[in-house]
Amino acid sequence: MASIDEVLRDVAPHLLAGAQVSTNLVMIRCPFHGGGAEKTPSCSVSRVKPVFFCHSCGTGGHISRLMREAGVPTDLAKNLAQTINYDYSEFGGRDRHAIFSGQNPYRGKFILDDDLLDGWRLKAVSLEEAGFSEVTMRHFEVGFDNRTSRITFPLRNVYGELIGVSGRSTLESETGPRYKIYSAKDLAHLGVPPTYSTASIKGALLWHGHLVLPIAFNTRAPIVVCEGFKAAMWVWQHGFHNVVALVGAHLTKLQAELFARTASEVILFLDNNTAGWKGTLAAGNLLIDKNLVKVARYPDLRQQPDALHEADLHTAIKRSQHFITWRIANQNRKTEAT
């Protein structure tokens, strides 16, 4: 098996012109903007997991997407991505599937092809109108499904592999849930087999975790934890890039174990409503034995991080208080959470 830089040297050598190689990263000129002719390499390609991210244009994703953009045929890019040898030094040199004892629940039972996302690479106009930048939407690989009028959010496991897709309806007439994880039936027209199941996704998923957890592990930087996609995107857009979403208000034991193994400090920034308060209380109690846990402080009664202006959002995070202090200050609400 070859390293990522060896594979790129064989199939897309132009990407390595002027590249800067370090222990965990290869910095290359991004092929997604400027015709790949930028003077200073801005695209970081991980040597420890199959992902890349451009710090200039915000494009990122699985390594096979980068190779396709560089002109490598789709089937070849897919096969090469599976043969690259990653050393996983970010996890102390251990194999990614041996980080956790026994059967690894964090990978998911079904890995989807990244090509699945190609049909949804349309701009989510409603998010743009709400203030989300094109760079932010590209970074999170947000798309739009014309068939169902849903904004699409790829779901990746902690190793960067695509394990599902969530869709948010933009229809006012929607009678079902606003958000849904696409089932095998929803994806059948794209060739996904009927055996595909979403059952193992949510409990172990930390959205955006595949990019954040390695950074937190190496730098001990704090992780901001939100409930949903939009909240995490808004926090990221305003400068707090170490942000993940639980995809709900409930922290699972599997998610808590990920924080315990990779993070030193966690800042809970769940919604400012009853469900969010209950979730904060439960999550803090679950994390407090193994992490420094803080709680972001909303400046007023606004209920989601993405409802805050930049200055208020920065204040909420920077003035976060220790979980125990927050719990004591809010103990009169205890009956509300039971």
Side-chain angles (χ1 to χ4, degrees):
M1 300 178 75
S3 66
I4 177 59
D5 30 320
E6 289 171 334
V7 169
L8 292 180
R9 190 175 297 117
D10 287 341
V11 299
H14 59 284
L15 286 181
L16 294 178
Q20 301 168 3
V21 182
S22 62
T23 302
N24 292 338
L25 292 174
V26 182
M27 294 296 297
I28 66 172
R29 293 184 173 94
C30 178
F32 290 88
H33 73 277
E38 59 183 1
K39 293 182 179 180
T40 303
S42 63
C43 184
S44 59
V45 182
S46 175
R47 302 183 78 196
V48 295
K49 61 181 181 175
V51 294
F52 74 95
F53 172 65
C54 176
H55 299 271
S56 180
C57 71
T59 304
H62 196 269
I63 191 64
S64 60
R65 181 185 178 191
L66 177 69
M67 287 193 282
R68 293 199 309 272
E69 184 67 20
V72 179
T74 297
D75 289 343
L76 178 58
K78 186 191 312 181
N79 291 334
L80 286 172
Q82 295 173 351
T83 62
I84 295 171
N85 179 38
Y86 292 101
D87 62 19
Y88 307 105
S89 58
E90 63 188 341
F91 292 113
R94 292 168 287 175
D95 182 270
R96 65 177 178 177
H97 294 183
I99 297 171
F100 306 95
S101 59
Q103 184 178 1
N104 183 355
Y106 296 96
R107 191 178 183 217
K109 294 181 179 179
F110 298 88
I111 307 300
L112 299 174
D113 196 318
D114 265 53
D115 294 348
L116 195 78
L117 304 177
D118 288 344
W120 299 325
R121 298 199 188 282
L122 304 172
K123 184 180 292 186
V125 176
S126 61
L127 287 186
E128 184 179 47
E129 292 173 345
F132 289 92
S133 71
E134 187 174 345
V135 169
T136 298
M137 290 189 283
R138 276 205 306 265
H139 174 76
F140 288 95
E141 303 176 274
V142 175
F144 190 77
D145 182 358
N146 271 330
R147 293 179 73 253
T148 61
S149 296
R150 288 182 179 272
I151 301 170
T152 56
F153 302 90
L155 307 178
R156 295 188 180 276
N157 61 24
V158 293
Y159 312 117
E161 298 163 323
L162 185 68
I163 57 175
V165 177
S166 180
R168 179 187 186 276
S169 178
T170 59
L171 299 176
E172 294 295 333
S173 58
E174 178 65 56
T175 57
R178 176 60 62 91
Y179 286 92
K180 64 177 291 186
I181 296 179
Y182 283 11
S183 65
K185 184 178 179 181
D186 296 321
L187 300 173
H189 68 288
L190 296 173
V192 174
T195 52
Y196 170 74
S197 171
T198 63
S200 64
I201 291 179
K202 197 169 181 181
L205 175 70
L206 272 180
W207 194 63
H208 199 227
H210 66 292
L211 295 177
V212 169
L213 297 183
I215 296 173
F217 183 87
N218 285 323
T219 66
R220 317 312 290 172
I223 297 178
V224 180
V225 181
C226 299
E227 285 189 32
F229 306 122
K230 290 175 61 182
M233 290 169 60
W234 194 248
V235 169
W236 185 91
Q237 180 167 302
H238 289 91
F240 296 93
H241 289 177
N242 277 11
V243 60
V244 298
L246 300 178
V247 194
H250 176 65
L251 176 77
T252 69
K253 290 184 178 180
L254 286 173
Q255 291 170 327
E257 184 66 13
L258 279 177
F259 287 126
R261 291 178 179 269
T262 60
S264 60
E265 180 180 339
V266 174
I267 301 175
L268 299 173
F269 201 179
L270 306 191
D271 290 356
N272 190 26
N273 54 27
T274 300
W277 186 86
K278 291 180 181 179
T280 299
L281 181 63
N285 287 332
L286 197 56
L287 294 171
I288 195 64
D289 289 339
K290 296 183 178 180
N291 299 98
L292 170 60
V293 183
K294 295 182 178 180
V295 181
R297 303 173 71 177
Y298 280 88
D300 49 40
L301 297 179
R302 282 173 286 182
Q303 294 195 349
Q304 289 90 25
D306 48 302
L308 300 179
H309 299 300
E310 182 174 4
D312 289 337
L313 187 143
H314 276 253
T315 299
I317 293 176
K318 290 180 178 179
R319 293 183 59 216
S320 57
Q321 59 186 156
H322 193 282
F323 171 70
I324 297 299
T325 303
W326 175 88
R327 190 172 65 182
I328 292 172
N330 289 274
Q331 61 185 349
N332 61 328
R333 297 178 62 179
K334 204 165 191 175
T335 55
E336 184 181 339
T338 57

